[in-house]
Amino acid sequence: MSAASPGRRASVAGAAVLLACLAALLLMPLGVDKFYVQLVTKMMIMAVFAMSLDLLIGFTGLVSFGHAAYFGVAGYVLAYAAPQYQAASLWVSLPLAMAVSAFLALVIGLFVLRTSGVYFIMVTLAFAQMLYFVFHDTKLAGGTDGVYIYARPDAALGEWAGGWKPFDLENFVHLYYVVLALLVLTWIVLRRVLDSPFGRVIAGIKVNEPRMRSLGYATFRYKLASFVIAGTLAGTAGYFAAAQFGYVNPDLLGWHLSGSAIMMVILGGMGTLGGAALGAFMMMLLELLFQGLTKHWQLLMGCSIVGVALLLPHGLLGTVAAWWGRRATTGDTERTDG
Amino acid sequence: MDERAPILRTEGLSKHFGGLAAVREVALTCRVGELHAVIGPNGAGKTTLINLLSGDLPPTSGRIAVAGNDVTGLPAHRISRLGVGRSYQKTNIFLPFTGFENCRLAAQSRLQPSMRFFAPAHAHAPTRAAAERALAMAGLEGRADVVAASLSHGEQRQLEIAMTLATAPRLLLLDEPLAGMGAEESAQIVALLKRLRADHAILLVEHDMDAVFAVADTLTVMVDGAVLATGAPDAIRANRAVQEAYLGSGEAENVSS
Ligand SMILES: Nc1ncnc2c1ncn2[C@@H]1O[C@H](COP(=O)(O)OP(=O)(O)OP(=O)(O)O)[C@@H](O)[C@H]1O
Ligand SMILES: [Mg+2]
């Protein structure tokens, strides 16, 4: 199409910021304490979780209030897959955890996607809470206390590779880089999916679903696919969270975590992948900051959420992008692609 | 299939909204090479009829066949995939997307298989070409990169038609395509309809009587949900009942829209 120089400049700036962030994340473990390496590992896991939810909220227009279900269940899969006091194989337990969360999202999606709007929010919450109580009230996996995962997943390859172990997740720096790789991979996969014909269809569904149907799209199937992709990625994040924390408990699939994830997405800016990741980092930084200040940190947290909602209606990144767009655009011929 | 067999055929098609019979016992046909115009006063049930044909609404009773296949009760996306394209009276487009993306999305709906996750959408040349063709046909070639929300009202009406064309339909259901367009654009669309007629079946709902009589091969007059008369334009113009009920004293132009 025409040479859209404002758009080009904005995307060059975006790419530069992204590369700077990546460089910072790559170098970070070299210069800081173990505590911060572990903290950022956790942040990156939450960023993957938030990006997966943004696929639903920001890109498909589906406000799921039960996204922690897939996160938590994948953690439980790891707990079940690990023999007591021994490590589960990463190469078996990770695909298994992803498959289970994908299947769960498929089954739940078949029901919840028949509703929309407020009912969708309610029904996704109801399903997640049902699962929460399955783990909370039964002896399936330690009830309220949950279970410990004594050893992190083992990355050793099979006999065919001579049992070669490319990295060791017990090492916090290795875990950090594996999670960073996961973050980058998730970003690349989602970016590609969003730019694909499928991604354009879900964007259309978000804007005007009836028109998509009349153009010939079976919108239900597209929403279901989006729901399954999001659930699978949430499960991947949950798997690494369980591996890092060394335990699983029902809170990993509770509505509290589902709500936090929504706040991360809103804080950073719905419908921008970087925004969701940024929101996850911000939320956890604020949490840390406020927890250090007072034991009523939840109050301060609430105030900042309200503040962002009022002052930055498009979230942190959304507001910056809009500001940049206004500065760079001269005419009314601005392009929008998801 | 027989060339002259109608692509669209309805029998006893009715739609009730509670106690209101918006469409009653409508039987009509439309074949390739034919432009069948449906006219009638406000509230006659023309839009409801199109909603039934496109699958946007399920009929209360009656049957709809497209190319000989019974499609009664099929959802809108299935009917669309059979080669039925519709435009809306009330502009129904994707406001945040560019004109080009609106049409590209419409054209993309014809991909087989339709769900594609990896290759970039904008790299698919046939879809882009179809979108650009549709924009050009509707007279929007210079406006492809403008966000739909920034288009003028008339241009949005043109985009509505372009999107419908981009799905490559055999049967076009057009609900007041000229409403809200300037004289020049109207003339352009009328010329387009004349060209499309050669290899499409077109069902046109329109209040602009000059345009209707200029392009229609067949006219159906609807009043209160029912068909009052069907026939060639001259026969309809001469029809007593039509004159009394709708066309007034042979003066068509004063019909409000
Ligand atoms: N979804 C609906 N629910 C209830 N009543 C409806 C609905 N849609 C249309 N109607 C009613 O059905 C009747 C026919 O409406 P319709 O929109 O089909 O008329 P029309 O011929 O397209 O009119 P116009 O020329 O004004 O576009 C009207 O009385 C209208 O109020
Ligand atoms: Mg109407």
Side-chain angles (χ1 to χ4, degrees):
Chain A
M1 299 269 90
S2 73
S5 68
R8 177 80 43 84
R9 250 168 61 201
S11 63
V12 166
V17 171
L18 218 60
L19 283 177
C21 290
L22 182 60
L25 286 173
L26 274 170
L27 298 175
M28 216 239 11
L30 304 177
V32 300
D33 290 347
K34 182 173 179 182
F35 172 81
Y36 291 104
V37 175
Q38 289 177 329
L39 177 69
V40 177
T41 305
K42 195 176 161 195
M43 286 173 163
M44 293 192 295
I45 290 172
M46 290 324 247
V48 170
F49 184 39
M51 286 197 295
S52 76
L53 181 60
D54 199 19
L55 176 64
L56 294 181
I57 297 185
F59 294 101
T60 321
L62 296 168
V63 183
S64 168
F65 199 174
H67 208 49
Y70 317 101
F71 184 89
V73 161
Y76 273 97
V77 170
L78 173 59
Y80 279 122
Q84 193 140 35
Y85 306 119
Q86 277 178 3
S89 162
L90 175 71
W91 311 115
V92 175
S93 58
L94 177 58
L96 184 68
M98 290 171 74
V100 169
S101 21
F103 180 71
L104 188 66
L106 179 71
V107 173
I108 293 182
L110 280 171
F111 289 96
V112 299
L113 289 167
R114 296 181 192 283
T115 66
S116 60
V118 181
Y119 293 96
F120 181 79
I121 299 178
M122 206 176 72
V123 182
T124 48
L125 174 63
F127 267 102
Q129 286 305 94
M130 260 157 56
L131 277 170
Y132 172 85
F133 284 110
V134 166
F135 288 100
H136 188 273
D137 293 354
T138 66
K139 288 280 156 242
L140 269 179
T144 33
D145 299 332
V147 284
Y148 285 99
I149 300 164
Y150 292 97
R152 293 206 178 129
D154 180 2
L157 297 167
E159 287 304 317
W160 56 272
W164 181 56
K165 198 167 176 172
F167 48 82
D168 180 5
L169 293 181
E170 295 291 351
N171 177 320
F172 70 94
V173 176
H174 285 200
L175 179 63
Y176 175 93
Y177 282 111
V178 168
V179 169
L180 176 56
L182 172 70
L183 178 68
V184 172
L185 204 66
T186 304
W187 194 89
I188 292 171
V189 165
L190 284 176
R191 195 66 265 161
R192 289 212 63 150
V193 165
L194 290 169
D195 287 340
S196 74
F198 172 83
R200 297 304 178 87
V201 173
I202 57 174
I205 290 174
K206 187 187 174 203
V207 174
N208 189 346
E209 183 173 356
R211 183 53 154 160
M212 288 304 281
R213 272 193 230 115
S214 100
L215 288 178
Y217 290 103
T219 57
F220 181 85
R221 277 188 234 162
Y222 284 85
K223 291 193 289 183
L224 188 60
S226 181
F227 204 76
V228 170
I229 295 171
T232 311
L233 290 173
T236 313
Y239 173 92
F240 280 98
Q244 190 194 13
F245 304 164
Y247 64 84
V248 285
N249 65 27
D251 286 345
L252 289 184
L253 23 80
W255 67 270
H256 206 277
L257 186 59
S258 293
S260 290
I262 294 180
M263 285 197 260
M264 289 171 190
V265 171
I266 294 174
L267 200 66
M270 290 179 277
T272 54
L273 284 181
L278 181 68
F281 277 76
M282 286 298 301
M283 270 280 280
M284 296 186 60
L285 275 180
L286 286 179
E287 224 173 89
L288 199 71
L289 182 73
F290 295 151
Q291 271 170 352
L293 288 177
T294 158
K295 71 171 190 274
H296 304 296
W297 62 275
Q298 293 271 22
L299 264 179
L300 290 178
M301 201 70 212
C303 291
S304 10
I305 299 287
V306 172
V308 169
L310 290 178
L311 300 174
L312 310 173
H314 303 293
L316 289 169
L317 200 69
T319 306
V320 172
W323 171 80
W324 185 278
R326 259 201 312 281
R327 227 189 53 149
T329 313
T330 41
D332 62 341
T333 57
E334 201 182 327
R335 295 206 62 162
T336 32
D337 328 278
Chain B
M1 212 183 72
D2 175 11
E3 263 294 288
R4 301 300 304 161
I7 228 173
L8 173 71
R9 177 191 290 279
T10 75
E11 279 160 21
L13 195 60
S14 300
K15 180 68 186 180
H16 297 254
F17 294 114
L20 174 76
V23 171
R24 347 176 169 204
E25 300 285 327
V26 169
L28 54 75
T29 62
C30 193
R31 53 192 88 225
V32 170
E34 181 190 24
L35 192 150
H36 189 150
V38 176
I39 61 174
N42 293 120
K46 306 180 297 293
T47 296
T48 307
L49 174 65
I50 289 197
N51 282 337
L52 298 178
L53 300 178
S54 67
D56 283 39
L57 289 175
T60 309
S61 60
R63 313 227 63 82
I64 305 166
V66 170
N69 304 307
D70 190 346
V71 302
T72 319
L74 283 191
H77 67 89
R78 297 272 307 276
I79 293 183
S80 163
R81 292 197 146 249
L82 291 171
V84 180
R86 74 161 293 181
S87 74
Y88 288 81
Q89 178 177 0
K90 186 167 170 294
T91 306
N92 194 354
I93 57 184
F94 300 90
L95 290 171
F97 300 167
T98 60
F100 176 75
E101 180 61 12
N102 270 274
C103 290
R104 205 201 54 75
L105 207 47
Q108 184 189 305
S109 70
R110 302 301 118 167
L111 284 186
Q112 287 292 357
S114 55
M115 259 207 220
R116 302 184 182 197
F117 293 92
F118 275 100
H122 62 79
H124 195 260
T127 309
R128 295 185 63 100
E132 260 149 29
R133 242 184 351 259
L135 281 167
M137 276 201 261
L140 281 176
E141 51 276 81
R143 306 288 280 161
D145 283 341
V146 181
V147 171
S150 308
L151 291 172
S152 74
H153 178 68
E155 287 171 332
Q156 291 185 349
R157 298 296 304 151
Q158 288 167 272
L159 182 56
E160 177 76 41
I161 296 168
M163 284 168 71
T164 308
L165 295 175
T167 62
R170 285 181 297 169
L171 168 63
L172 281 160
L173 310 171
L174 303 176
D175 197 354
E176 303 203 21
L178 306 180
M181 265 185 210
E184 197 182 318
E185 289 75 27
S186 275
Q188 212 177 344
I189 298 299
V190 167
L192 172 66
L193 291 178
K194 285 181 179 163
R195 269 185 288 135
L196 288 173
R197 178 172 52 188
D199 47 4
H200 292 78
I202 305 176
L203 192 89
L204 171 72
V205 168
E206 188 48 61
H207 276 300
D208 179 338
M209 288 306 140
D210 288 339
V212 166
F213 280 98
V215 297
D217 302 299
T218 315
L219 264 172
T220 287
V221 182
M222 275 180 83
V223 175
D224 287 334
V227 172
L228 184 65
T230 296
D234 289 339
I236 293 294
R237 217 197 289 263
N239 185 309
R240 250 282 152 53
V242 173
Q243 285 174 6
E244 278 164 22
Y246 179 49
L247 292 176
S249 46
E251 187 58 67
E253 278 74 13
N254 61 8
V255 176
S256 64
S257 59

